[in-house]
Amino acid sequence: MNLNQIFTNQRTGNNPQTKASRTDFQRDFDRIIFSSAFRRLQNKTQVFPLPGSVFVHNRLTHSLEVSSVGRSLGSVIGEFIHDQFKNDLTEDSRNFYLHNLGNVIAAACLCHDVGNPAFGHSGEDAIASYFERNENEIKSKFNEKEWADLVNFEGNANAIRVLAQQQQGKDAGGIQLTFATLASIAKYPCEAIARDKSILHRKKFGFFQNEKDIFLEIAKGTNLISENEEPHIFKRHPFVWLVEAADDICYNIIDMEDAHRLGIVSTADCENLFFELVKSETDDIKRVKDKLVSIGNDNEKISYLRAKVINALINKSLEMYKQNFETIMEGKLDKAFLDMYKSENAALKEIEKFSIAKIYNHKAVVEIENAGYNVMYELLDHFIPSILKSKDTRKSYDKMALKLLPQQFVYEDGTDYQKVLGVIDFVSGMTDNYATDLYRKIKGIDIGMTV
């Protein structure tokens, strides 16, 4: 890949360029901040049930922290590219890498989760399994590729749709981000039918059939390496690795801190796990020990160690990006940085093992996943059978159900696939609270007038 040709300020919607005091990539960040899809992340579960007596991370606070880490990664790598390849870069490229790569990665990190439905990964599972469980009744309404999209519903692909597609009555191009930012969130740049769990960049999929043309424009504009054309498979964009690293760093560590604040993980366990990782990556462990002794509050101790761990993982990710730079540019790297690091660092591997056993399988987490799965499944079941009926065969209860769909999600003149995607847009965009409230109302659990 040519370093001069992997970024562009071209946007979805093909709007003409305007003069502004901010760069195009800073404008991406601001557009995301002010978007309704981003705001809704404040009431979407990260790991632990929301709300509670102790404030833990939700999708929005997680995304803000990932963006902060991503900006650091992007800025340092931008300087690295500028300094190491200065003679190969155009003047515009030198300016981009020195001043704007950090903005691109920060913006991409900020919106990397906007396609995730309520209730964490159980919400994704509910959407995918709805179609699996109703295959006999509805599969014939879709072609092979459309059906693959539905039974493998994926938050990463949905993010491209949320950010770039034109809803009914709204402007073309979604929130009109640059292709550079959108390419940076495409962890799995392939069609659903090309999924292969044994291959990192095809473990999931990156775009729905409805947004295929948009994604192909993004791929062309950022010169993604094409691996296959039928079905479409691309190699990852070089910036994706930085967004992925920022996300992995944050959720691996922040989930542990949240669990400590909730009393799920003891101070001793959390401190020991974090300390071992810091010790493996610092030459001045005495200063860290002295600092811990001076802190009397348990939460502050863990916060201090969390900051040290994140800093260590940022530095390690930067080191690995530089070491693997040529392989990344060729599209040949096949393992995420933190996965590679786990193979050489027992402390990080132990944190992951501990998290799976004590956090992700904790009763409170499992309960919210079960509840969320059922809520999301039942909401889909309330709308999809009705939207798939032709207008002249809908009964009164079908018409009443569809009256609950906001007009921007109703594609009556579209295909069955587009109609279903409209319902998925509505349901997947819901916050935890809204989904739960609507579920209780349509099931008759709560009856009464609300405005």
Side-chain angles (χ1 to χ4, degrees), residues 141 386-395 412 419:
K141 295 179 178 292
S386 297
I387 200 71
L388 285 176
K389 292 180 182 178
S390 60
K391 285 185 178 181
D392 57 348
T393 61
R394 288 174 187 162
K395 305 296 183 184
E412 286 286 23
K419 291 176 183 177

Side-chain angles (χ1 to χ4, degrees), residues 1-116:
M1 300 182 82
N2 187 324
L3 285 167
N4 295 302
Q5 298 174 347
I6 62 174
F7 67 92
T8 175
N9 61 359
Q10 183 180 352
R11 297 182 179 278
T12 56
N14 294 314
N15 283 347
Q17 296 295 309
T18 57
K19 292 184 178 180
S21 57
R22 302 160 293 157
T23 70
D24 288 298
F25 310 108
Q26 289 171 327
R27 291 167 69 194
D28 278 358
F29 187 93
D30 296 343
R31 288 182 181 199
I32 296 161
I33 284 282
F34 284 95
S35 69
S36 58
F38 180 74
R39 287 196 302 276
R40 286 195 294 269
L41 295 178
Q42 69 184 299
N43 191 227
K44 288 191 177 186
T45 298
Q46 177 64 17
V47 174
F48 299 105
L50 302 170
S53 58
V54 178
F55 186 78
V56 294
H57 287 78
N58 52 43
R59 289 277 177 185
L60 186 143
T61 50
H62 165 72
S63 297
L64 288 169
E65 291 174 350
V66 174
S67 183
S68 179
V69 171
R71 187 183 298 280
S72 297
L73 292 170
S75 295
V76 175
I77 293 303
E79 291 178 5
F80 164 76
I81 293 173
H82 174 273
D83 294 345
Q84 294 294 313
F85 303 96
K86 184 179 294 186
N87 294 334
D88 299 326
L89 301 176
T90 65
E91 184 177 347
D92 284 345
S93 295
R94 287 195 292 270
N95 179 67
F96 171 79
Y97 288 110
L98 193 58
H99 302 295
N100 276 307
L101 181 56
N103 292 323
V104 170
I105 304 305
C109 289
L110 198 65
C111 65
H112 79 284
D113 267 353
V114 296
N116 287 54

Side-chain angles (χ1 to χ4, degrees), residues 241-256:
W241 299 94
L242 298 173
V243 175
E244 180 178 60
D247 186 24
D248 288 350
I249 288 169
C250 287
Y251 87 76
N252 270 275
I253 304 308
I254 299 299
D255 292 350
M256 181 75 75

Side-chain angles (χ1 to χ4, degrees), residues 12 55 70 73 101 117 136 226 229 238 252 286 416 451:
T12 56
F55 186 78
L73 292 170
L101 181 56
N136 292 337
S226 177
E229 290 191 0
N252 270 275
K286 183 181 182 301
D416 286 337
V451 180

Side-chain angles (χ1 to χ4, degrees), residues 179-202:
F179 289 177
T181 294
L182 291 170
S184 300
I185 66 170
K187 291 171 65 175
Y188 312 106
C190 66
E191 297 182 64
I193 200 169
R195 288 170 69 253
D196 185 334
K197 289 186 177 182
S198 66
I199 303 172
L200 180 62
H201 66 288
R202 293 168 57 189

Side-chain angles (χ1 to χ4, degrees), residues 19 44 70 73 77 153 158 184 191 193 211 214 246 272 279-280 296 329 354 369 398:
K19 292 184 178 180
K44 288 191 177 186
L73 292 170
I77 293 303
F153 176 84
N158 199 42
S184 300
E191 297 182 64
I193 200 169
E211 284 67 56
I214 294 174
N272 289 337
K279 187 170 69 173
S280 69
M329 291 298 293
F354 186 92
E369 287 183 348
D398 295 311

